[in-house]
Every structure is written in C-alpha cells, then in structure tokens.
Amino acid sequence: MKKIIIIGCPGSGKSTFSRSLENLTGLSLYHLDMLKWNSDKTTVSKRVFEERLDNVLEKNEWIIDGNYISTMEYRMKQCDTVFFLDYPLEVCLSGIKQRIGKKRSDMPWIEENEDPEFMDFIKSFDKDTRPEILNLLKKYAPKNIIIFKNREDVGEFLRDYKYQRDTTEL
C-alpha cells in the first residue's frame, strides 16, 4: 500500500480513518477538501484543483481522503489501494452531527451548523453516488479494494495492520 484513496459518504469517518492510516504507514495524507476549498467557503477554480491534485498524484506515495466523483476514476487509475467506507445513512448523519463546531484538519473552516444542501447530498448518497462508486470499483477490481460496512471493521483492520507491522519489525 503506497498509493491509497479513501472514499465513502460524508460523515462516514474517512478523515478519521485516513489520519489513523497516515500514523501507521507514515504515508503523507492529502484531503481533497483542503485542495478544493478556501477558508471563506469558496472553491478554487477547476484548473487549480486539478493542478493541486496532479501535484499529489505525481508523488511516489500518498493517502488521498475524499470523494469528488468527478476525479474519482482518475485517482483510482493511479492508486494501488481503495478503502470504501460503505456505511448506513444513520451512521453518516451521526458523524456529521458530531463534527459540528469542531476544528478539523480536513476542512479549512469550522462548520457551525448543518448545511441543508449538504444534508440532502448525504441523504441521497446511496441512491445517487454509491452506484457510481460501485461501478468504478467493479471496473478497477484488480486493485486492492477493501470495503468496510461498519466502524468496528475499521478498528479491527487498524489493530491488525499495527500488529502485523509491529511483529514484522521484530
């Protein structure tokens, strides 16, 4: 695992998982939201976003956290590992509520309240975005694809990875 993308519905815990993976692997972590958004809640131009993403993808090793379906296939082509946090809607909505008012390394501002448009996106994720992701995962099936259905599976994976890493170093 040297080039990793982490995808899933907003609120699923992509950023939390990616930070844990960064700590365990030593790979550099890049959040798509930090490449796309300014601190005043405006976005950079498409050209600037693509340049920033290209600069990351040119590196030999990386973890990229985020969806952005418009660039997902481009990232899948270049990664060796995909983690898909495929959680139920209730889990994702709870994750969104828990991060309100908290400073986060994956966003250039603090969310003060729920954004109705964003909440609608999350509620329609299973119907609108998930099928596109599943189609891409089928297309890139030769890649190392790991799908988590709950947070417990993530915890178990991280514990197992740490154990394997620690015992290999002995």
Side-chain angles (χ1 to χ4, degrees):
M1 288 192 314
K2 297 293 183 190
K3 296 182 176 186
I4 301 167
I5 64 172
I6 300 170
I7 56 178
C9 183
S12 62
K14 295 181 301 295
S15 298
T16 301
F17 174 62
S18 64
R19 285 189 296 273
S20 296
L21 206 55
E22 174 189 35
N23 290 334
L24 285 173
T25 64
L27 300 175
S28 296
L29 171 59
Y30 302 91
H31 301 284
L32 289 180
D33 284 336
M34 295 299 284
L35 301 177
K36 178 77 174 171
W37 289 92
N38 296 309
S39 60
D40 64 358
K41 297 186 181 182
T42 60
T43 58
V44 299
S45 70
K46 181 179 179 183
R47 182 185 56 77
V48 169
F49 175 65
E50 289 173 352
E51 285 175 4
R52 289 176 177 178
L53 181 56
D54 283 340
N55 287 337
V56 172
L57 293 173
E58 288 173 0
K59 299 177 186 309
N60 292 327
E61 301 176 343
W62 38 257
I63 299 170
I64 300 175
D65 149 37
N67 289 322
Y68 293 91
I69 200 77
S70 63
T71 64
M72 192 175 290
E73 183 166 13
Y74 182 54
R75 286 176 281 127
M76 274 196 195
K77 285 179 185 177
Q78 299 194 43
C79 75
D80 57 44
T81 303
V82 178
F83 289 97
F84 178 31
L85 281 60
D86 189 20
Y87 298 168
L89 173 62
E90 304 78 42
V91 172
C92 298
L93 291 173
S94 174
I96 294 296
K97 290 178 194 298
Q98 290 174 9
R99 66 189 200 190
I100 299 288
K102 295 181 181 170
K103 183 168 176 46
R104 299 167 32 217
S105 63
D106 58 308
M107 286 299 291
W109 67 79
I110 296 174
E111 270 311 324
E112 297 298 332
N113 48 37
E114 291 179 10
D115 175 345
E117 186 177 322
F118 187 52
M119 296 306 284
D120 287 344
F121 174 79
I122 294 167
K123 290 174 184 174
S124 67
F125 186 87
D126 275 356
K127 180 176 66 76
D128 296 339
T129 307
R130 186 175 180 271
E132 291 183 63
I133 290 173
L134 293 175
N135 285 336
L136 285 171
L137 292 176
K138 283 181 193 169
K139 183 175 181 178
Y140 292 95
K143 304 265 181 189
N144 183 24
I145 297 172
I146 300 163
I147 300 174
F148 295 122
K149 292 293 190 179
N150 56 60
R151 296 190 194 285
E152 292 77 21
D153 290 347
V154 168
E156 185 177 326
F157 173 86
L158 291 170
R159 283 187 300 278
D160 288 350
Y161 187 90
K162 182 179 183 328
Y163 175 79
Q164 289 174 359
R165 183 200 65 188
D166 290 350
T167 57
T168 302
E169 291 175 357
L170 295 178

